[in-house]
Amino acid sequence: MTKATWIRVAAFGAAALLFLALGAALRPLVVDEPPVATPVLNDTEIGFIQDMAGHHQQALMMVQRLDPGIDPGVARLAQQIGDAQRIEVGTLLGWLRLAGVTAANPAPMAWMGADHETGGAHAHRATVPPADQQADPSAALMPGMATTAELDALAAARGRDAETLFLQLMQRHHLGGVAMAQAADHLLDDGPVKQTARSMILEQGSETGLMTALLEQRGAGPLG
């Protein structure tokens, strides 16, 4: 290789190194760096969604176990509750899939913090059956949940007895759901999960009032 050829090779090599250095320096200006991923949901939102999805699923179970031969007014209310909560379960589970987390909460109700432990101002919890009476042990930590025995009794009940028991169980269940939604509303600053919690408070609060009136018509009150 001649001296002139060596000079040309060295010159090309130096130019290549220069272009590489310039490219590395200019890359942030001309190539979009991948953005840092931000969490889809925070821990409070995830815990609330997981627990509320499980809570709603028991409400759907109660609707399914209700005697189809009951009074049409109670049947319409049960269908209304079932339709609304089925849609909400789909939304809740969709959020969890987006966040890449499981539907089951490994620490049920922990998102409520001190309110759950102490029954504070935002808890307003309905009676919680003992853990050994629950179909799902985690349900003992959620307000308003029915026991296995209560669900079996509802499935066996017929006519007016079925209507009364369904209204009592669902009234208690709704009060528990409202307590959970109120806690989420209190803990969250903004966002769609907070807005959904507020919608649940209004919807289930209204249905609870109707259930109270229907129970009074039947000479019955809430479960003790």
Side-chain angles (χ1 to χ4, degrees), residues 39-119:
V40 176
L41 301 167
N42 63 37
D43 290 345
T44 299
E45 290 171 328
I46 289 172
F48 168 70
I49 292 170
Q50 288 172 323
D51 286 341
M52 188 58 80
H55 204 269
H56 275 19
Q57 284 165 349
Q58 191 186 81
L60 294 176
M61 186 185 301
M62 284 194 277
V63 171
Q64 291 167 354
R65 294 192 177 197
L66 182 58
D67 173 23
I70 59 171
D71 174 78
V74 178
R76 282 193 298 272
L77 174 61
Q79 182 175 354
Q80 173 185 315
I81 292 170
D83 290 345
Q85 300 217 357
R86 193 172 295 107
I87 292 170
E88 287 176 357
V89 166
T91 299
L92 297 173
L93 294 180
W95 277 337
L96 294 176
R97 282 192 294 270
L98 266 177
V101 296
T102 63
N105 189 349
M109 301 303 291
W111 59 272
M112 276 185 68
D115 276 347
H116 176 60
E117 295 299 327
T118 63

Side-chain angles (χ1 to χ4, degrees), residues 76-203:
R76 282 193 298 272
L77 174 61
Q79 182 175 354
Q80 173 185 315
I81 292 170
D83 290 345
Q85 300 217 357
R86 193 172 295 107
I87 292 170
E88 287 176 357
V89 166
T91 299
L92 297 173
L93 294 180
W95 277 337
L96 294 176
R97 282 192 294 270
L98 266 177
V101 296
T102 63
N105 189 349
M109 301 303 291
W111 59 272
M112 276 185 68
D115 276 347
H116 176 60
E117 295 299 327
T118 63
H122 298 278
H124 306 300
R125 296 197 303 280
T127 302
V128 182
D132 60 358
Q133 297 179 24
Q134 293 288 343
D136 175 2
S138 69
L141 300 174
M142 283 190 269
M145 296 288 276
T147 66
T148 302
E150 288 170 337
L151 293 174
D152 290 344
L154 178 61
R158 292 293 179 267
R160 197 175 185 86
D161 289 342
E163 295 167 12
T164 300
L165 183 56
F166 172 78
L167 291 169
Q168 290 173 323
L169 291 175
M170 191 62 78
Q171 180 191 54
R172 186 181 68 190
H173 197 271
H174 267 24
L175 289 173
V178 167
M180 292 165 66
Q182 287 174 332
D185 181 37
H186 171 65
L187 293 169
L188 299 174
D189 294 328
D190 53 30
V193 178
K194 180 182 179 72
Q195 294 307 314
T196 296
R198 287 188 167 183
S199 295
M200 290 177 181
I201 293 167
L202 293 174
E203 181 179 279

